[in-house]
Amino acid sequence: MVHGRLSDLTERVREFARDRDWEQFHTPKNLAMALAGEVGELLAEFQWLTPEQSAAVMSDPELGPRVRAELGDVMIYLVRLADTLGVDLVDAATGKLADSARRYTVEAAKGSAAKISQ
């Protein structure tokens, strides 16, 4: 079961696609590819920024709105893909977080960006 505002968004995106008869195009493959494309567009907004500029991007009057729009696109495609596959995003993220907490204990990972093998 999808939760709260995410459930509302899922339903709005589903209706948006249904009203336009786009469900026929919304295969998992197509949605995953569209999601990857939108993530690429988000990355492009950060590509040449310094770490300091990237941390302050939302206060930039030109870049902030573009980043917000790209995040919206990413979210829409992610929600649509999950809905199409029958995946509860909150449950998936909660499960992944629990797995990561087991793999990356505070003692083993605090202050380190090193990947811990499974």
Side-chain angles (χ1 to χ4, degrees):
M1 187 68 181
V2 181
H3 311 277
R5 291 181 66 194
L6 187 55
S7 178
D8 294 341
L9 178 61
T10 299
E11 184 57 35
R12 287 185 63 193
V13 172
R14 184 185 304 140
E15 287 177 16
F16 187 89
R18 186 177 28 228
D19 290 349
R20 288 154 182 80
D21 193 27
W22 287 352
E23 292 170 313
Q24 61 184 315
F25 309 115
H26 286 187
T27 65
K29 177 196 74 77
N30 288 352
L31 291 167
M33 292 175 69
L35 175 60
E38 293 301 337
V39 169
E41 291 180 22
L42 176 62
L43 288 172
E45 296 297 340
F46 288 90
Q47 185 171 7
W48 303 114
L49 300 181
T50 66
E52 296 77 20
Q53 289 169 324
S54 70
V57 73
M58 295 313 294
S59 62
D60 183 295
E62 183 181 327
L63 289 176
R66 292 197 327 236
V67 167
R68 181 181 175 86
E70 295 305 338
L71 285 168
D73 286 339
V74 167
M75 183 71 167
I76 288 167
Y77 277 112
L78 178 61
V79 164
R80 185 70 181 127
L81 176 59
D83 186 39
T84 300
L85 292 172
V87 173
D88 181 317
L89 282 173
V90 173
D91 285 348
T94 302
K96 184 64 179 178
L97 187 58
D99 180 56
S100 293
R102 282 189 296 277
R103 290 180 54 219
Y104 294 91
T105 63
V106 172
E107 298 78 22
K110 189 168 186 171
S112 173
K115 184 168 175 79
I116 296 176
S117 62
Q118 295 186 23

